[in-house]
Amino acid sequence: MKSIRRKLSIMFFVCSLAAILLITAFVNLTITKKFDDYMVDTQNKRYERIVSYFQEIYKREGKWSKDSGIEMMHEAYMGSYCLTLLDSSEKTIWGMDANDIKNNLHFNTMKVKDTGVYTSKRFPIEVDNKKVGYVDIGQYSSVLLSEEDVNFKSSINKSIIASGLITMIITIVISLYFSKQFSRPIKEVSKMSVSLSKGNFDTKSVTKSDIKELENLRTSVNVLAGKLKQQDMLRKRLVSDISHEIRTPLNILQNNLEAMIDGIFPVTDDRLKDLNDEVIRFGKLLNNLELLKQFESESIKANFETVDINQILKSICEDFYMEAKNQGVDIDYSVQKNQQYYITGDKDKLRQVFINIISNSIKFSKESGNICINMYPKDQKIAIQIKDNGIGIKEEDLPFIFERLYRGDKSRNEIHGNGIGLTIVKNILDLHLADIEVESKEEKGTKFTIYFDRVIV
Ligand code: ADP
């Protein structure tokens, strides 16, 4: 298997190479064609010049002689073409030998494009609209080039090839750079996912990318790693917390029962009641765990009906009134009058939501605390606020309080709890499509606000 960097580099390189070759070939063909056109044009002008030269000679001398225009022979010889002068009846007056040019080609300043077949062209010499003779111009090539022409052409070709090569080198460097830009974050994220799959959740990708999708991928894998780490921590805490939660009531029960059996403790009603309370607490924990399991396996069943949430809250507040009073905590329930507070929900589960939140408020209240429960309609919703002035929640704990078995600051261990209450609250509210918000300040208090969809009856 090839690495992404190698694959991308090869892809970039092949694409650029194809583009460079195409452009080079195209430029080369165009320049060659234009150059050849230019040379043919120059050659035609030379032909015209030679013909008009002989016209001038004839005009000056009035007839042809063996020496007429013979001085052109030298230029023709140097230019690698062959001249033959003929009179009006096409009889040769003088002429050059084609073989002389062939033998002396390499001494001449003119180069032939292709030393092939000798061809000659005949041009009439006209004076006063009368044909007075002909001149044959012959050469071993279709187009004659001067040394500068050849040099010019080859230097252009060299420049095209050189620029092609330089572009290719630049392309290789750029493709290596860009493929690295792509591959580096991908490589890092892939390394990270391998270590996540091995259970090492402490990894983090730090190489930022300016490519949107790659940056999204990087940040979401980082978030994933954070969540997995959190879940792993919760899982580890789950085992220790549950074993602690189960061991404590069991130890109390065992020690007390043994002491009673051994006759160390007398069997009194009070003692039996205390032991029964422990058994109830124990049973509650198991019920909560069972409920949580049902939510997590999505096998929970809800009995939805139209319920008066005001009635539910009022009865819960009454139930809690005495317990709160014993702890020196006041519960104050107020509701905006002349309004209906109907929602669609499961009565028992809704009771569970408020019991969990209010019992937390009592639990985390300081002595002579105050709990304000307030209900009011808000647009199409019903808002319920449960506010205490207790010990509050640390800012860093706030995002996690609804997580399974999450308990605030370890130092609160002396306050009884198991970190399941709010998880159940969140699950039940999700089932009711209701929202919950929490605001809290350490040592100042906590406020939960719940929003239900309102039903008008
Ligand atoms: P617990 O059994 O520990 O109360 P919960 O799921 O009900 O479990 O609550 C999770 C954590 O949220 C608690 O351990 C506590 O740190 C914090 N918490 C919840 N309600 C309050 C509150 N009213 N005041 C202060 N802290 C709270």
Side-chain angles (χ1 to χ4, degrees):
M1 257 196 286
K2 285 187 191 114
S3 73
I4 188 161
R5 184 170 181 200
R6 220 173 130 199
K7 193 117 190 167
L8 277 173
S9 305
I10 293 173
M11 227 164 69
F12 275 136
F13 180 67
V14 169
C15 289
S16 328
L17 187 68
I20 291 166
L21 286 179
L22 269 174
I23 291 171
T24 311
F26 181 72
V27 170
N28 193 289
L29 278 176
T30 316
I31 287 184
T32 308
K33 163 106 189 24
K34 290 278 168 210
F35 186 75
D36 286 350
D37 289 350
Y38 167 75
M39 289 319 295
V40 169
D41 199 43
T42 311
Q43 183 165 277
N44 288 339
K45 281 187 180 136
R46 186 168 61 238
Y47 291 161
E48 279 169 25
R49 187 171 53 80
I50 292 168
V51 172
S52 69
Y53 180 78
F54 282 109
Q55 277 172 338
E56 287 306 312
I57 297 276
Y58 189 86
K59 273 185 197 165
R60 205 169 53 224
E61 295 178 359
K63 59 179 172 96
W64 296 119
S65 69
K66 287 270 174 223
D67 298 330
S68 295
I70 200 105
E71 58 282 358
M72 273 301 270
M73 216 189 269
H74 178 68
E75 185 193 321
Y77 187 72
M78 292 311 290
S80 302
Y81 56 90
C82 201
L83 289 179
T84 307
L85 182 65
L86 303 113
D87 64 12
S88 53
S89 52
E90 299 192 25
K91 252 195 244 146
T92 305
I93 299 166
W94 57 261
M96 289 166 65
D97 187 353
N99 284 328
D100 286 353
I101 323 167
K102 194 172 189 179
N103 296 337
N104 291 301
L105 269 178
H106 52 285
F107 293 123
N108 293 346
T109 52
M110 297 301 270
K111 301 279 171 222
V112 291
K113 201 171 151 223
D114 37 40
T115 42
V117 195
Y118 177 83
T119 49
S120 84
K121 275 187 179 171
R122 179 161 291 181
F123 299 91
I125 304 165
E126 288 182 1
V127 175
D128 299 333
N129 289 331
K130 218 175 99 196
K131 277 191 187 111
V132 294
Y134 297 90
V135 60
D136 280 353
I137 307 172
Q139 58 200 42
Y140 280 99
S141 157
S142 51
V143 182
L144 290 174
L145 305 176
S146 73
E147 200 159 350
E148 289 89 59
D149 298 334
V150 176
N151 287 345
F152 172 75
K153 207 173 159 185
S154 81
S155 72
I156 289 231
N157 280 338
K158 275 183 200 153
S159 313
I160 292 172
I161 291 169
S163 57
L165 282 175
I166 291 169
T167 320
M168 215 134 78
I169 293 167
I170 294 172
T171 313
I172 292 174
V173 175
I174 292 177
S175 65
L176 283 175
Y177 172 76
F178 277 113
S179 57
K180 197 171 176 186
Q181 294 266 305
F182 271 99
S183 64
R184 229 171 70 180
I186 295 180
K187 220 162 142 183
E188 208 178 275
V189 167
S190 114
K191 238 187 193 166
M192 202 177 146
S193 47
V194 170
S195 53
L196 286 181
S197 72
K198 286 181 182 159
N200 174 15
F201 305 123
D202 269 326
T203 65
K204 199 170 181 202
S205 164
V206 285
T207 318
K208 282 195 174 168
S209 167
D210 54 1
I211 301 160
K212 202 170 138 198
E213 287 79 1
L214 290 184
E215 186 56 14
N216 282 348
L217 177 70
R218 191 185 73 84
T219 43
S220 45
V221 173
N222 275 345
V223 170
L224 177 73
K227 288 209 166 151
L228 284 174
K229 191 176 168 190
Q230 182 67 30
Q231 286 298 325
D232 189 52
M233 209 179 76
L234 287 175
R235 191 178 51 79
K236 284 178 185 151
R237 253 168 70 173
L238 170 86
V239 179
S240 81
D241 283 5
I242 288 190
S243 60
H244 174 80
E245 288 295 319
I246 293 174
R247 200 182 320 110
T248 315
L250 268 183
N251 278 348
I252 295 173
L253 281 175
Q254 191 185 355
N255 294 341
N256 278 276
L257 285 173
E258 275 173 6
M260 284 184 199
I261 292 166
D262 294 344
I264 302 168
F265 283 167
V267 183
T268 63
D269 283 353
D270 278 352
R271 195 147 276 142
L272 283 175
K273 195 182 160 297
D274 283 349
L275 292 185
N276 192 36
D277 283 350
E278 277 307 312
V279 174
I280 290 170
R281 209 166 71 81
F282 189 48
K284 268 187 191 160
L285 169 70
L286 292 180
N287 283 348
N288 274 344
L289 285 172
E290 173 62 24
L291 195 61
L292 204 60
K293 195 196 89 193
Q294 283 179 21
F295 273 113
E296 292 190 349
S297 62
E298 288 172 5
S299 61
I300 193 90
K301 283 189 184 65
N303 247 337
F304 283 114
E305 57 185 325
T306 303
V307 291
D308 185 352
I309 199 93
N310 182 24
Q311 237 175 41
I312 295 178
L313 262 175
K314 215 154 78 187
S315 92
I316 293 173
C317 286
E318 278 162 10
D319 292 350
F320 270 116
Y321 187 73
M322 274 319 290
E323 187 187 328
K325 196 101 201 135
N326 289 341
Q327 286 194 33
V329 177
D330 268 344
I331 297 184
D332 173 33
Y333 175 55
S334 69
V335 56
Q336 203 170 308
K337 295 262 166 11
N338 305 324
Q339 295 283 347
Q340 285 187 329
Y341 294 100
Y342 290 107
I343 63 161
T344 305
D346 180 312
K347 227 184 218 167
D348 292 336
K349 297 203 166 53
L350 290 171
R351 278 186 69 84
Q352 176 89 60
V353 167
F354 297 116
I355 289 172
N356 288 4
I357 296 178
I358 296 171
S359 64
N360 271 349
S361 292
I362 298 173
K363 200 161 72 177
F364 294 107
S365 271
K366 293 177 251 178
E367 214 160 296
S368 65
N370 199 20
I371 299 169
C372 289
I373 302 167
N374 186 15
M375 181 157 67
Y376 53 93
K378 194 179 179 202
D379 306 326
Q380 301 304 311
K381 307 254 175 198
I382 291 174
I384 300 163
Q385 277 184 358
I386 300 160
K387 191 174 156 199
D388 64 59
N389 56 357
I391 62 170
I393 304 170
K394 275 193 169 179
E395 206 181 325
E396 64 260 33
D397 284 335
L398 263 182
F400 307 110
I401 56 166
F402 295 104
E403 300 264 357
R404 191 159 38 96
L405 292 162
Y406 194 89
R407 299 191 62 203
D409 206 332
K410 281 271 179 194
S411 66
R412 298 173 194 211
N413 271 353
E414 67 262 23
I415 300 177
H416 174 72
N418 49 46
I420 296 177
L422 286 184
T423 315
I424 290 175
V425 165
K426 183 80 177 78
N427 277 302
I428 296 176
L429 290 178
D430 283 349
L431 202 67
H432 286 77
L433 305 177
D435 293 320
I436 182 161
E437 288 168 2
V438 55
E439 291 165 47
S440 189
K441 257 213 159 94
E442 250 195 304
E443 298 308 323
K444 289 265 185 281
T446 306
K447 182 171 91 183
F448 285 93
T449 314
I450 303 172
Y451 298 96
F452 288 105
D453 282 335
R454 192 178 181 193
V455 174
I456 308 286
V457 287

